[in-house]
Each structure stands twice: as C-alpha cells, then as structure tokens.
Amino acid sequence: MEWGTLVATLGGAVIAISGTVLADRLRTRQEADRGLGARRREAYIEFIAAAGAAHTQLRRLAQAPDAATDLESASRAALTEAGLYEVRERLFIDASATVAGAGQAMFEQLRALRSAVAMGAPVSSPAFHDAYHPYIASVWAYRVAVRDELEGQSLVPAVFGWHAWDGKERCPLCNRDLAGAL
C-alpha cells in the first residue's frame, strides 16, 4: 500500500467526520434557538396578559370605589391574583435585555396606577389619569419592543392615526380638560 493513498483516505475520513460534527452542532444550535424563541414568545404574551388582567381589575376598583372595600389590599390583590409577579420573573429569565427593560418599565407604571387606585382615585379623576396614561404608553413601548425583537418590524402610533402611545388625545376626560384650559 502506498502512503499517499493512506494519507488521502485518512484525510477524507477526517473531513467527513468534521463535516458531520459541524452539521450536528449547527442543527443543535438551531433547535436551541427555536426553543428559546418559543419560550420568549410565550413569556412575552403571558406577561402582557397578566398585566392586562391586573389593569382590568384596577379599573373595576376605580370605577366603583366602595367605602367598605380596602382599596390598598384589593389593589395589591389585583396584581397578585393576575399572576403578574410570577410571570415577570419568567420574563426576566427568558427575555432579551430590551424586552425585559420595557417589561419592567411597564410593571413600574402599573404599580403607579395601583397606588393611585389604592389612594381612592376614581377613573374620572386627574390622579387616575396621571398614572393611567403613562401606563398605557409603557404598554405600547413593551409591544413595540416585543414586535421589533420577534418580527424585526417596528410599530409607530401613526399606524393607528395617533400622535402618541399614551392615549391622551383619545381620552374624553383629558380632551375636555384641555379644551377647558384653552
């Protein structure tokens, strides 16, 4: 047997094995990336759904404040019962830094809204709206961050015919107050 044939055979085997190992690694990495993407999407949706459930309960408390209701406890329960704290932890584990930051900002604005409700601010009060509109803006900022990450497509208020995300221009109370100030 010639040495050249042996070296060529061994070289071909090394190349073939290397190609197989590389292809396997790439496939494994792609599967892991798909798994992370699916986990992120699920966490992003669960977080905004939990925040929405808490927001709905806070609005209910603010629409019909009952003197017998301990608004502090009831408003805290709105966030807890919606599962917001647990989902937020999942968000911090699976989310990108950008989405986690937008989620935390949204959470902080929701807590500010909770504080306004806990202090007895009814839906029609300036105190409620001072917390509500920044919360709505943060919800949209979160949606924009998620959409940008998952789809690479940005979203702007003009798509909906709006000037800003906070909803003030569409708010009857805020528009009435602005019209009265003019």
Side-chain angles (χ1 to χ4, degrees), residues 86-108:
E86 294 84 7
V87 176
R88 180 172 155 247
E89 291 304 319
R90 281 198 51 220
L91 182 75
F92 288 157
I93 291 169
D94 286 333
S96 67
T98 301
V99 173
Q104 179 61 21
M106 187 174 100
F107 175 76
E108 289 171 7

Side-chain angles (χ1 to χ4, degrees), residues 116-142:
V117 171
M119 289 190 280
V123 171
S124 60
S125 72
F128 182 88
H129 283 255
D130 288 346
Y132 174 75
H133 291 295
Y135 169 67
I136 293 301
S138 70
V139 168
W140 278 103
Y142 174 80

Side-chain angles (χ1 to χ4, degrees), residues 61 65-77 114 117-120:
L61 291 170
D66 181 4
T69 302
D70 177 5
L71 290 175
E72 178 67 33
S73 295
S75 65
R76 286 185 186 280
R114 187 212 64 80
V117 171
M119 289 190 280

Side-chain angles (χ1 to χ4, degrees), residues 1-15:
M1 182 187 296
E2 291 186 29
W3 283 101
T5 305
L6 181 61
V7 169
T9 303
L10 289 174
V14 167
I15 290 171

